[in-house]
Amino acid sequence: MSVREILKMGDPRLLRQAEPVTRFGTRDLQALIEDMFDTMHAASGAGLAAPQIGVNLQLVIFGFKANTRYPDAPPVPETVLINPVLTPLSDETSDDWEGCLSVPGLRGMVPRWTALHYEGADQHGNPISRDVDGFHARVVQHECDHLAGILYPMRIKDFSKFGYTAILFPELDANSDD
Ligand code: NI
């Protein structure tokens, strides 16, 4: 188990289409997921996608009970989601602030589907199928965007709502750099 380097915006490896996971329940997959959780927790992240540590697989993790980077966010169950497919439950979208461990120090206002269905598999190949909304839905969309080479600034519509976290949210933990 180890904390891995998180790639930052500008690295072309963040712009790739990720490949499906084809083998489940392997030691390599388990070790990768443990490294991802170590890396996410070390950075106080709400989620992390495998491409962010340079692994071009359709694998994301997310979830927390409380998060210093998003102190108002409700808990999201700790989840390993592989080969995900997202389907919106309506046309409704919501705007809210997002950050990204690959875009440190910045936040932007991003429109996302308000409610969605997602499915995929866990690390053992067991199916996952959930209907979610709110912050949970936002986190899933943000992380799964990484699997298509999309970073949240590419989704910002109003660039007057894009700026430095320390300026926009000075009350947030000063040790949080992202
Ligand atoms: Ni991100």
Side-chain angles (χ1 to χ4, degrees):
M1 303 204 336
S2 58
V3 174
R4 306 271 285 263
E5 180 189 0
I6 298 175
L7 305 182
K8 296 200 174 61
M9 183 168 65
D11 190 308
R13 289 173 290 177
L14 290 169
L15 302 176
R16 297 181 293 187
Q17 173 67 44
E19 303 289 338
V21 172
T22 56
R23 297 185 64 214
F24 294 86
T26 66
R27 292 175 72 136
D28 282 353
L29 185 61
Q30 191 59 40
L32 170 62
I33 290 165
E34 288 178 12
D35 281 0
M36 287 177 65
F37 273 107
D38 288 348
T39 304
M40 181 178 84
H41 290 149
S44 300
L48 188 73
Q52 290 182 274
I53 59 167
V55 176
N56 198 37
L57 291 174
Q58 293 177 24
L59 161 58
V60 303
I61 64 169
F62 52 84
F64 53 86
K65 291 193 178 70
N67 188 284
T68 55
R69 296 179 65 236
Y70 300 95
D72 298 328
V76 173
E78 193 167 90
T79 301
V80 173
L81 181 62
I82 296 172
N83 301 344
V85 177
L86 277 50
T87 309
L89 293 175
S90 79
D91 292 334
E92 184 187 340
T93 62
S94 307
D95 292 334
D96 207 347
W97 294 98
E98 289 185 21
C100 180
L101 299 176
S102 294
V103 191
L106 294 164
R107 293 287 169 101
M109 184 69 79
V110 183
R112 299 284 187 187
W113 293 321
T114 304
L116 62 88
H117 173 78
Y118 69 83
E119 53 190 54
D122 70 9
Q123 62 268 48
H124 308 293
N126 301 312
I128 293 174
S129 176
R130 292 177 181 159
D131 290 345
V132 298
D133 59 11
F135 195 77
H136 189 157
R138 178 169 296 277
V139 168
V140 173
Q141 289 170 85
H142 176 112
E143 298 311 329
C144 291
D145 261 0
H146 280 294
L147 307 182
I150 298 169
L151 300 169
Y152 83 81
M154 298 155 75
R155 296 224 183 252
I156 292 175
K157 297 276 194 274
D158 177 357
F159 279 94
S160 74
K161 295 190 172 67
F162 182 46
Y164 292 97
T165 313
I167 305 300
L168 290 164
F169 302 103
E171 71 281 11
L172 284 184
D173 180 4
N175 296 323
S176 174
D177 178 40
D178 42 70

